[in-house]
Amino acid sequence: MTFKNTEMFIDENETPESWWVSAVLKAIKAVALVFDILTFPIHLIFQRPWKKRALSRRIKARIIESTTNSLTVRSVCAPSQLHIRMVRDGVTTMETMLRAAAARWDERPCLGTRTVLGEEDEPQANGRVFKKFNMGNYEWRTFTEVEAEAGLFASGLRELGCKPRHNLAMFAETRAEWMIAAHGCFKQSIPVVTIYATLGDDAIAHGINETEVSTVITSHELLPKFKKILAKTPKVDTIVFMEDQLHPTKTDGYKEGIRIVGYKEVLRMGSKSKIDHVPPSPEDTAIIMYTSGSTGVPKGVVLSHRNMVATLKAFADSVPIYDDDLLMGFLPLAHVFELLAESLCIVAGVSIGYSTPLTMLDTSNKIMKGTHGDATTLRPTCITTVPLIMDRVSKGITDKVSKSGEFASAFFKWAYTYKQTWMRRGYDTPILNKLMFTKIRGLLGGRIRLMLSGGAPLSPDTHAQLRICLCADIVTGYGLTETTSCATVMDPHDRSTGRVGAPTTGTDIKLVNWEEGNYRVTNQPFPQGEIVIGGDSVAEGYYKSPEKTRNEFVEIDGRRWFKSGDIGELHHDGCIKIIDRKKDLVKLQAGEYVSLGKVEAELKTCPLVENICVYGDSSKTYTVALLVPHPARLAELAAREGLPELDFEKLCKSPQIEKAVLKELADHAKKCGLEKFEVPLAIKLCTEVWSPDMGLVTAAFKIKRKDIQERYKEDIKRMYAS
């Protein structure tokens, strides 16, 4: 955070601290100063801050080629022990990866699913009744059991008529059976077409039809969607569903001639099968991953086994993961980042416990009052996440602190700044962590040491805040589905924020001049340009889209490269900072270029903002914004403006509130260093929370700019007209 004067925690309009709060804080600071002086030699000897500073500053990548138009950067890191072991174990495909993991880790717990004991009605204070789960403990499949179950499922699919190298679609939420079913497909060289569970019917039908799928694997919860979708997918004749723990699955009312089979039935069929497995080669297609994308219809990215293993090896070199770690998996496995992160855990012998956003925390929607969420029960050490979720955690901490009373807020402000100061010098604050931050860490089970963030840039403010409050390493990276989620990963020793790390091993990053945006490799003090990614992790191309593939992929000296469209900046230690995006760049009428993504990333850190989409018209002199406000913060702003108490929808329609929010945005933008022409001059306050179900954000919660602009096109006209 560089903490920006702590505005995130202490409101500017709050009453001054009373004399006793000030006196107590002065006493605490005095005690802390004395304690620092007395214990400094001990911390110096045991923490060795000079080593942390040296590790943070060390060179992570070097320029291997440079011209006036481009430069190429390559990692200087050596392969890790896990990478070397994968080579020795002959891991060249996802099928050999699971076999090697099962042989090495044997009876160790591999995939865990929490039992649901029942569903009960829970009356609310307002008289409404919600269904809540009565949850049990986690039940585990060992590595041996997972490999064996994948083999049975593979044989069962062949008995159903699935053939090697004929596509099969996976349309289901993240769970253990998803991973096992995918590995069953790998054993028979069946390409898996992954489709986000949050896509709309037309997008789902598009992915299924384009890949000519006849068999779809789904779940009990999503099966009813196919009553409509089947009318649009004439080639589908078989649906396999993963059963629910509590409720039987109704299979009547579907299109005539459709065979609907349970996951467990497929396993039984496989146990009687005599059909041999057909292992894939590295060049075979493993996944056709349909990205929901921020523009246009979903596109299928063809990923081979070679692509996926290349990323596994790169992640093994970059991510500090140990065989006694425990990962909580909840992001969509249809997202390549989550699939490869979990695959890394499997090959490293790390147990994965599955969760859902509805059951993750003690306060989650489906958890009965007084019972524990998945995080408290599982107590994971690692978690994968995306920036939007981390922003929400950050704002949750901010809200809780702001409501905790004058003294508690002031003490938190001091503790935060105190820890931040010592961390900059290379020290940790173990006693303060125990006294101040244990409760916050407890939200995720109390043992989190590593959070992997992908899918979009992470705000420096959020990065710094969670690193301090969760007492964990926050490792960000950069990659795309087209590069099998691989490109750069932040070094865990790097104490900076706002960067995405250096190129991973086996991956080269090329910066290429983009003259239109004035981004050149000759720029000072840092070279800048479009990021072009090369290596074995670069995808084979887009499914049935040869022209689009030729436009965005290129072969140079036998090496495959992908033109990302993102603009990067190279720092002295070999790390990359994402500073712009070609497609997000708008030239206003007065000639100024505005990076919409950059403006959105900065404005999202404003406590008032839940989500935001900035729009720029090249024929106008300013930008406008569609903004989803934080309800509690909006109510606080209304109170400060002297408005009577109104419900959320009426507040959003209030012209006075719009003006007040615009002023808050302008003030926040100034603190973030945005230029005046970058700040929206008109806004629309949206009452709907943008979700993947609405089709306004992707499954990774990146905004779908075109869809949002289409939905609110009349409001955009109104804003410019005003």
Side-chain angles (χ1 to χ4, degrees):
M1 216 163 270
T2 60
F3 215 112
K4 296 185 181 164
N5 300 320
T6 66
E7 309 94 334
M8 287 187 73
F9 293 110
I10 306 300
D11 198 290
E12 290 176 1
N13 297 316
E14 198 170 46
T15 56
E17 295 172 359
S18 59
W19 67 268
W20 70 268
V21 170
S22 179
V24 172
L25 273 180
K26 284 178 182 175
I28 290 170
K29 290 175 185 177
V31 171
L33 178 62
V34 173
F35 184 81
D36 288 345
I37 294 169
L38 293 175
T39 61
F40 183 76
I42 298 169
H43 286 294
L44 187 67
I45 294 166
F46 284 99
Q47 295 202 40
R48 301 183 178 185
W50 62 91
K51 285 195 171 184
K52 293 180 185 176
R53 293 195 294 266
L55 283 170
S56 179
R57 290 194 302 261
R58 81 181 194 279
I59 302 298
K60 291 106 179 164
R62 296 188 188 279
I63 297 172
I64 61 166
E65 185 182 80
S66 181
T67 70
T68 55
N69 295 318
S70 70
L71 58 82
T72 307
V73 190
R74 182 174 292 172
S75 171
V76 298
C77 296
S80 66
Q81 287 301 309
L82 178 55
H83 182 152
I84 293 168
R85 195 171 74 214
M86 288 170 68
V87 173
R88 285 176 180 164
D89 289 347
V91 175
T92 57
T93 65
M94 295 299 285
E95 188 269 340
T96 53
M97 181 278 283
L98 184 62
R99 270 199 287 130
R104 180 172 292 276
W105 304 113
D106 198 20
E107 296 304 308
R108 178 179 291 205
C110 180
L111 305 182
T113 301
R114 197 170 179 197
T115 55
V116 182
L117 303 175
E119 196 174 35
E120 299 177 21
D121 291 337
E122 186 180 274
Q124 306 300 302
N126 60 8
R128 297 177 69 186
V129 176
F130 291 137
K131 294 280 186 186
K132 303 279 184 170
F133 287 144
N134 180 11
M135 307 286 284
N137 291 319
Y138 273 85
E139 291 187 353
W140 294 90
R141 293 171 170 96
T142 66
F143 280 83
T144 304
E145 288 169 341
V146 166
E147 210 267 339
E149 191 171 320
L152 292 178
F153 192 81
S155 298
L157 287 177
R158 292 296 304 276
E159 292 292 334
L160 282 173
C162 297
K163 298 176 183 177
R165 298 175 182 86
H166 284 242
N167 299 333
L168 173 150
M170 188 88 76
F171 176 70
E173 307 93 339
T174 294
R175 54 192 287 176
E177 290 83 0
W178 198 111
M179 184 65 86
I180 294 168
H183 276 282
C185 293
F186 297 152
K187 284 182 176 292
Q188 293 288 0
S189 297
I190 297 172
V192 180
V193 178
T194 64
I195 300 173
Y196 289 132
T198 51
L199 286 181
D201 291 357
D202 289 341
I204 296 164
H206 168 76
I208 289 172
N209 290 333
E210 188 173 69
T211 52
E212 300 179 61
V213 159
S214 61
T215 300
V216 176
I217 300 174
T218 187
S219 65
H220 164 89
E221 292 81 8
L222 293 174
L223 180 60
K225 288 194 79 160
F226 281 88
K227 287 185 177 177
K228 288 183 180 177
I229 294 170
L230 286 170
K232 304 175 183 179
T233 54
K235 290 199 173 182
V236 174
D237 58 23
T238 304
I239 300 178
V240 176
F241 67 90
M242 304 168 191
E243 297 88 348
D244 183 69
Q245 290 193 46
L246 293 179
H247 306 291
T249 304
K250 294 179 180 178
T251 57
D252 57 330
Y254 291 83
K255 193 170 81 172
E256 192 176 340
I258 300 296
R259 180 172 46 175
I260 300 177
V261 187
Y263 175 90
K264 291 176 183 174
E265 177 59 27
V266 178
L267 294 180
R268 281 192 287 272
M269 292 168 68
S271 67
K272 298 172 184 175
S273 176
K274 304 295 183 186
I275 300 174
D276 292 332
H277 291 165
V278 183
S281 67
E283 293 74 31
D284 281 334
T285 299
I287 297 279
I288 301 172
M289 188 156 279
Y290 273 80
T291 64
S292 50
S294 49
T295 59
V297 296
K299 54 194 176 188
V301 180
V302 181
L303 302 176
S304 67
H305 285 270
R306 184 185 67 244
N307 295 148
M308 298 185 78
V309 170
T311 293
L312 274 184
K313 291 174 179 175
F315 281 3
D317 296 337
S318 308
V319 180
I321 196 164
Y322 312 108
D323 57 25
D324 60 349
D325 272 321
L326 180 56
L327 179 89
M328 182 166 67
F330 73 96
L331 292 181
L333 274 166
H335 193 297
V336 66
F337 169 61
E338 179 69 11
L339 179 57
L340 268 299
E342 290 191 21
S343 297
L344 175 66
C345 289
I346 289 173
V347 77
V350 172
S351 303
I352 304 168
Y354 287 100
S355 177
T356 75
L358 295 176
T359 60
M360 185 186 299
L361 307 178
D362 293 352
T363 54
S364 292
N365 291 348
K366 280 289 187 177
I367 295 297
M368 289 176 60
K369 201 171 184 180
T371 62
H372 293 313
D374 299 336
T376 306
T377 303
L378 189 65
R379 302 192 68 228
T381 61
C382 306
I383 189 170
T384 51
T385 185
V386 291
L388 184 67
I389 291 173
M390 299 184 83
D391 286 340
R392 286 176 179 172
V393 172
S394 172
K395 286 177 181 177
I397 294 170
T398 303
D399 288 344
K400 196 152 190 171
V401 169
S402 66
K403 294 172 184 174
S404 60
E406 192 175 2
F407 174 72
S409 293
F411 180 69
F412 190 94
K413 169 187 170 183
W414 169 81
Y416 186 102
T417 308
Y418 173 89
K419 180 173 179 178
Q420 187 178 48
T421 302
W422 282 107
M423 283 182 71
R424 284 198 190 113
R425 298 168 183 164
Y427 292 90
D428 195 8
T429 55
I431 295 174
L432 186 64
N433 293 348
K434 192 82 175 170
L435 292 174
M436 190 73 221
F437 300 113
T438 298
K439 196 168 182 181
I440 297 173
R441 279 173 60 80
L443 294 173
L444 292 173
R447 292 203 310 154
I448 287 289
R449 66 162 194 87
L450 177 67
M451 298 181 79
L452 302 172
S453 175
L458 179 63
S459 152
D461 285 357
T462 299
H463 192 158
Q465 185 191 359
L466 295 187
R467 183 187 277 171
I468 289 170
C469 295
L470 294 175
C471 309
D473 290 328
I474 313 292
V475 174
T476 68
Y478 166 73
L480 306 98
T481 305
E482 289 87 344
T483 63
T484 326
S485 83
C486 187
T488 70
V489 175
M490 185 179 180
D491 189 300
H493 300 291
D494 190 345
R495 295 180 301 132
S496 67
T497 58
R499 308 191 301 172
V500 293
T504 56
T505 53
T507 305
D508 289 344
I509 298 290
K510 195 185 287 286
L511 295 186
V512 179
N513 287 354
W514 184 40
E515 299 293 343
E516 185 183 346
N518 293 320
Y519 294 115
R520 303 180 183 91
V521 295
T522 52
N523 286 0
Q524 295 296 331
F526 302 116
Q528 298 171 332
E530 181 186 359
I531 295 172
V532 182
I533 302 156
D536 283 347
S537 61
V538 175
E540 306 302 314
Y542 297 113
Y543 192 75
K544 290 186 177 178
S545 298
E547 188 175 342
K548 192 170 180 60
T549 298
R550 281 194 298 272
N551 289 340
E552 299 192 20
F553 293 85
V554 64
E555 199 94 20
I556 304 174
D557 298 328
R559 193 172 182 82
R560 199 157 177 76
W561 297 80
F562 175 72
K563 294 181 275 188
S564 71
D566 292 313
I567 306 300
E569 178 178 272
L570 178 65
H571 290 184
H572 69 280
D573 59 353
C575 289
I576 301 287
K577 182 177 182 180
I578 309 296
I579 57 172
D580 213 332
R581 178 157 177 80
K582 286 170 74 171
K583 292 177 184 176
D584 286 349
L585 204 66
V586 174
K587 188 178 183 181
L588 299 179
Q589 194 178 42
E592 305 103 332
Y593 281 99
V594 178
S595 170
L596 305 179
K598 183 189 87 171
V599 175
E600 287 159 356
E602 293 292 357
L603 295 183
K604 271 183 189 174
T605 64
C606 175
L608 260 173
V609 178
E610 189 76 18
N611 213 338
I612 189 168
C613 176
V614 179
Y615 177 81
D617 186 330
S618 297
S619 66
K620 307 294 182 184
T621 58
Y622 62 94
T623 63
V624 297
L626 299 154
L627 187 153
V628 180
H630 188 288
R633 291 286 183 178
L634 195 68
E636 290 169 11
L637 179 63
R640 292 202 300 272
E641 291 292 310
L643 285 174
E645 198 170 315
L646 299 170
D647 65 35
F648 180 61
E649 290 198 8
K650 287 180 180 175
L651 278 180
C652 288
K653 291 175 182 175
S654 164
Q656 188 177 340
I657 283 293
E658 273 190 7
K659 287 180 184 177
V661 172
L662 268 175
K663 184 178 182 307
E664 292 278 322
L665 281 186
D667 292 344
H668 188 79
K670 189 175 181 182
K671 291 166 190 167
C672 293
L674 291 178
E675 300 291 340
K676 274 190 177 181
F677 64 81
E678 294 179 304
V679 184
L681 293 188
I683 57 166
K684 153 74 177 172
L685 299 179
C686 306
T687 56
E688 304 165 305
V689 176
W690 299 339
S691 67
D693 294 341
M694 293 173 65
L696 299 183
V697 295
T698 70
F701 292 97
K702 288 188 278 191
I703 63 169
K704 299 175 77 171
R705 197 176 298 283
K706 282 180 102 175
D707 292 306
I708 291 172
Q709 288 165 8
E710 178 61 28
R711 188 182 186 94
Y712 296 101
K713 61 185 177 184
E714 295 304 320
D715 293 295
I716 291 171
K717 287 179 187 175
R718 176 187 63 80
M719 286 188 279
Y720 274 124
S722 66

